[in-house]
Amino acid sequence: MCFSRWLISALVILATSFTVNAKIYTTPILADANDLLQTSPDKSLEMTQRYLEQRRLSNPQELSRVHVNDETDHTIRTPLNTINALQIKARAYSLLNQPEAAIKTVKEAEKLAKDNNLSFTTFETRLIHARIYWDNLKNSAVALNMLDQIDKDIEGAEALKLTKQVKVLQYQSLLQRAIIESHQNNENKAEKLFTRAKRYLVNLDDNNELINYQLTIGHHYLLHRHFDLALDRLLSGYWLAVEQENNAQIAIANYELANLFEQRKVFDKALEHATQAGEFFEHFNRTLPLAKTLALIASIYEQQGRYNLALVHYFNALDQENQLKHDIRSARLRLNIARVYLQLYNYPKTEQYLQHTRQLAKQSGNEAIQAEAQILQGKLELAEGRAEKAVSTLQAGLIASSRLGDLDLQLMGESELSNAFEQQNDYYNALLSQRRYEQLFSSKQEDQVKSNVEVFKQQQRMLERSLQLEEMERQQFENEKALYKQKNVTIFLLTFILLTLIVLLRRHRVAKMLQARLMRLRTEFYTHPRSGLRNLRMLNARLPNSLQQSSANFEQWHLGEIINEPLSDRLRFALLEVPFLKHIYLEHGYQQGLELERQFGEYLKEQVCEPARLYHFSDAMFLYIEPNSRLDTEPNQLANSIQQLVDNFLGQRNIDHRVRIGMAEYPFLPRAYTAINDHELLDILLMAANAARLISKTEPGSQWVHLSAIDAAPAASFASDNIRKACLQGIDNGLVKVQSSSNTEINWNNDHDFDKNII
């Protein structure tokens, strides 16, 4: 749970960071609804509405257990996700041309954001509010006032200034303000705002926003008839959208390019782009953009003289606009239909659609459409031979068009008025109209010359950019060539490193296998095969080093190099013989003998703890070594402990419990620590064990024999190649003290006879 909350918190931070502007929704439903906005706003609206209805808003008490943006409980919705849902819902209403519902929804989102003190979300919602006023209501005054207030409040938000989120808000505000100023014919002001917005866009690192910016500024240039600049930006946006596979923005780019080519009279390209845009809008049932696209296609066909196709598309566009109930666009389409019917000499239909146009234009208060309808009405009356009526109608239309400052409409009106006067044989007024036409045409030509100068300057800038681009491409080629070489070197080095790593890993694996095998062999080598205890090989390897270290410590103490006597280095040895291990195989068989010996070995491993040690000396003999720091410890205590071990193991088994033990200490000679080595010490232990064995033949029960040199025993008495003989002489001379479990005299003659036989 802690990890999941940490992960969601990290996602929230990324969502609100400036370097990654794309908004991240923690709820999959809202993410899907946001993705559907540009393609199916009706489905997006349905999804958000269902989300808001199926989940209840979390109350303040629940916020302690639910993160502000973490919906672990699928029955509730957090305030932040609720606001996101309302934002998506408002934008969907806006795209569906339902401004009242959009404004109501965005106000609800704004209130909820303020109640929960979500500063960034509050400003984000207010920007959506301003955009709705412009996109749907074309109310530039209200939209600009709202943007002014937002900018002012952002400047006053000290906490927000410390974050990078403020840059996102400032970019969105500048871009929306530039769009409004562009449509208000404030070209210079709009371009300055676009330039300021681009400075923020560089750091956004958002490809979708980059595409939107290119298409928006391309539309701005097209609106102000800067066709070359518009083509550059629109094509850039188009190919970026293709690269990102963003079909919605591809469709928008296609529509803008079709509009551009239509104005430049490149009808084949215009028709190609418009058809692609129309297919997309029709597939996703986007009524408003589909109506605009159909009207554009119809205009292209009309200019090509393909009037029947133009009428079909105008009627299809009119059906879409009737669904939207937009009077101004419906009036414009009816005016276009009337113009086409006039070209087809269908005067009744022309009159019918002109009448509908005037009614709708009058209801909406659109003077431009009324003026154009009057001039077209005058042209119709002139075609029907009603010259006198045409003159008055055309004059009224000219007055309205001059008041609007529409130069193209005035030119058309003066031309038709001159023809009307000529039909009345009023050549003087016809000449006056013709002269006014020429004056207007000359004024238009001057504007075109100025426009051509501007176009030339634009072409010069584009040529310079092209030269810069060629230089950049050359540098890019050189960089790519150097990068290719570097890539090959890197691949070679990586391959070499990889092969080296493989070899090292292989060697490491083999070394581990060999080491494991060595450890296994060493364990088997130093372990008795039946009991599992350390064997005689281990004793021969460890005992000399152990005794040598003990002797060195004693010598250092004796020479004064160590202050305290190292009593802990004294060792007591016990060589014990367990007779039942000899007889168990004969009495019970091989398998049971192996099993009992194995159990006995495991039992001794558990009972003998560090620092004591136990070795399996021979078949039925074991060597026990323990520290002997207390010199006054009686040998019978150790013997009793060993007997107790054997008794506890055998328990109630009907097996011989006897034990024969030979004991001695190291150093054996108290005044000569190094006089007796490991082999000689083992001989002394074997002598003691043999003596215990001889006693057990005459007396029942376990027996033990302990040999120890007296404190005054000289080392010279034991300086012999035969330690057994020297030890027997020491016993005879009283230099070696013998302790035993028996009170009878021990007969050492067998040892004498054996030594004589060896000699």
Side-chain angles (χ1 to χ4, degrees), residues 508-526:
H508 177 68
R509 184 177 178 184
V510 171
K512 285 187 67 176
M513 291 175 59
L514 293 175
Q515 187 177 10
R517 185 182 301 175
L518 178 62
M519 291 296 296
R520 186 169 61 254
L521 291 174
R522 180 176 293 175
T523 302
E524 294 175 356
F525 185 75
Y526 288 121

Side-chain angles (χ1 to χ4, degrees), residues 107 142 229 366 463 595 756:
K107 284 183 177 179
V142 174
L229 291 175
N366 192 303
L463 180 60
E595 179 63 22
K756 291 175 181 178

Side-chain angles (χ1 to χ4, degrees), residues 33-41 44 91 95 246-249 251-252 280-281 284 286 289:
N34 183 67
D35 293 338
L36 288 172
L37 273 176
Q38 295 300 323
T39 55
S40 302
S44 177
R91 290 163 62 193
L95 291 170
N246 192 325
N247 294 327
Q249 290 183 318
I252 296 172
F280 174 85
F281 296 134
F284 289 101
R286 295 292 308 280

Side-chain angles (χ1 to χ4, degrees), residues 684-727:
I684 295 172
L685 290 169
L686 286 168
M687 285 178 58
N690 182 53
R693 181 179 62 83
L694 293 174
I695 295 173
S696 67
K697 289 181 180 181
T698 58
E699 297 183 12
S702 298
Q703 302 296 331
W704 58 269
V705 174
H706 176 264
L707 298 180
S708 61
I710 64 174
D711 293 341
S717 301
F718 296 88
S720 173
D721 293 337
N722 191 334
I723 190 61
R724 297 170 67 92
K725 184 177 179 181
C727 193

Side-chain angles (χ1 to χ4, degrees), residues 543-556 569 666:
L543 186 59
N545 294 331
S546 178
L547 297 185
Q548 184 178 4
Q549 180 64 38
S550 179
S551 299
N553 290 339
F554 278 115
E555 288 179 356
Q556 288 177 353
D569 289 330
Y666 182 85

Side-chain angles (χ1 to χ4, degrees), residues 12 30 68-69 77-85 112 116 118 121:
V12 172
L30 297 182
V68 70
N69 197 28
R77 44 185 165 86
T78 61
L80 183 57
N81 280 339
T82 302
I83 298 167
N84 289 333
L112 186 59
N116 287 274
L118 300 172
T121 310

Side-chain angles (χ1 to χ4, degrees), residues 75 160 242 315 380 420 514 574 600 646 678 740 756:
T75 62
L160 193 61
V242 170
F315 282 129
L380 171 63
L514 293 175
F600 186 58
V646 176
D678 55 318
S740 172
K756 291 175 181 178

Side-chain angles (χ1 to χ4, degrees), residues 321-372:
E321 290 293 354
N322 288 336
Q323 295 179 23
L324 296 171
K325 298 179 181 180
H326 199 288
D327 293 340
I328 296 177
R329 285 197 290 268
S330 295
R332 173 62 64 183
L333 286 171
R334 292 175 190 276
L335 181 63
N336 293 337
I337 292 171
R339 186 174 60 249
V340 174
Y341 273 128
L342 183 59
Q343 296 289 338
L344 294 172
Y345 304 102
N346 191 337
Y347 301 140
K349 286 289 186 181
T350 305
E351 180 65 36
Q352 176 185 346
Y353 278 96
L354 279 174
Q355 184 178 357
H356 291 164
T357 300
R358 287 194 295 270
Q359 290 176 355
L360 291 174
K362 188 174 181 180
Q363 290 175 5
S364 61
N366 192 303
E367 296 182 0
I369 296 178
Q370 291 182 37
E372 190 172 352

